[in-house]
Amino acid sequence: MKLVRFLLGLLVPPLGVFLSVGVGPTLIINVLLTLLGWLPGSIHAIWVIAKHEEQLNRQEGIY
């Protein structure tokens, strides 16, 4: 599922962010960045997904 989220974050940035963090301010920021251009939205999506995965790994005790 992690790979799918990264691919969707690259291809359809808001969908990748939604699958990672749900509806919230992060999704709204990503939608606005994607409206400004695909590249800013994709960069933000990959960053959000990576940080979310890192946080999940810390909670589970996996480094």
Side-chain angles (χ1 to χ4, degrees), residues 13-14 17 21-37 40-45 47-48:
V17 171
V21 296
V23 177
T26 306
L27 179 64
I28 294 169
I29 291 169
N30 189 264
V31 168
L32 293 174
L33 285 170
T34 303
L35 289 175
L36 290 174
S42 293
I43 292 170
H44 180 257
W47 181 76
V48 166

Side-chain angles (χ1 to χ4, degrees), residues 48-60:
V48 166
I49 294 166
K51 287 296 179 183
H52 182 71
E53 290 294 328
E54 180 181 315
Q55 184 180 22
L56 287 177
N57 288 340
R58 281 189 183 164
Q59 289 175 354
E60 294 175 359

